[in-house]
Amino acid sequence: MSPTSDTALLVIDAQESFRQRRDDWAATANPQVFDNIALLVGHARAAGDTVAWVTHAEPGTGGVFDPESGFVRVVAELEPRPGEIQVTKTTVNAFTSTNLQAQLAARGIRRLVVCGIRTEQCCETTARIAGDLGFAVEFVTDATTTSPIPAGPGYAALAGDELMRRTESVLGGREFATITSTARRVRDVATRPLSA
């Protein structure tokens, strides 16, 4: 189905690079993240929403985010379709180093639904920038995940689930985004009248 709404689902960094960081991935706060993203993608497609896939690359680093590694690709459980937006960023947010904003504008998108990896990093930063750009933003926390931050100079350790709750408080409480869940988003999409 071709996009027929003013809504886009942004799938941020749901890529193989993260699973290649095996110790980090083993500590992920939300092991169901890809299942929940798959539900959102299926329902977005059925509703005629745009699906936009964002991956993160660090060219020339020799690590798992270097395109030469072969891991800068959407995980096998999720598969972009021809015609869906696909961009690769080199910044934390999905806009600054890509033409994502122009592609969304060309499709008449006014509302963004954000999911992906990492909750408090690329997903939260993208949501903040999107709000500043004038998009209405929904943040689907249980379709995101992150890993713990160990203590460092001048900052405390935080568990992954604490980071996820903090992101909800910051985005929701400071009105950058409406916080929602996969189940609620799927229900809302299923009951939304289809655009003519």
Side-chain angles (χ1 to χ4, degrees):
M1 173 181 269
S2 298
T4 57
S5 81
D6 67 353
T7 300
L9 175 67
L10 295 189
V11 184
I12 310 291
D13 300 350
Q15 65 191 73
E16 189 58 40
S17 308
F18 281 101
R19 285 201 290 213
Q20 295 304 309
R21 292 177 161 178
R22 299 195 192 286
D23 291 341
D24 193 51
W25 188 250
T28 194
N30 179 14
Q32 291 78 38
V33 64
F34 295 139
D35 293 338
N36 288 344
I37 291 172
L39 284 171
L40 293 175
V41 169
H43 281 80
R45 287 170 174 163
D49 295 346
T50 293
V51 180
W53 302 88
V54 180
T55 51
H56 181 79
E58 297 172 359
T61 60
V64 295
F65 290 94
D66 189 328
E68 295 295 318
S69 72
F71 300 128
V72 180
R73 66 180 189 279
V74 175
V75 295
E77 298 94 311
L78 306 168
E79 190 170 333
R81 288 184 178 170
E84 293 179 336
I85 294 172
Q86 294 185 60
V87 298
T88 299
K89 62 184 178 62
T90 55
T91 51
V92 174
N93 78 83
F95 293 101
T96 304
S97 59
T98 72
N99 69 347
L100 178 61
Q101 182 182 4
Q103 290 196 61
L104 294 171
R107 295 175 186 225
I109 301 302
R110 296 183 300 175
R111 174 174 300 279
L112 300 179
V113 179
V114 176
C115 64
I117 304 172
R118 296 180 186 233
T119 310
E120 82 293 353
Q121 191 173 9
C122 297
C123 296
E124 179 180 331
T125 307
T126 295
R128 287 171 179 257
I129 298 293
D132 282 349
L133 292 173
F135 293 100
V137 180
E138 292 181 47
F139 195 88
V140 190
T141 313
D142 68 352
T144 71
T145 193
T146 193
S147 55
I149 293 177
Y155 57 90
L158 285 174
D161 60 338
E162 291 175 310
L163 289 163
M164 294 174 76
R165 300 294 78 80
R166 186 208 61 82
T167 292
E168 288 179 325
S169 295
V170 171
L171 291 179
R174 300 295 187 222
E175 300 180 359
F176 283 103
T178 300
I179 306 303
T180 191
S181 66
T182 300
R184 189 176 311 125
R185 180 72 194 149
V186 166
R187 183 190 66 231
D188 291 348
V189 169
T191 59
R192 184 175 73 206
L194 292 178
S195 302

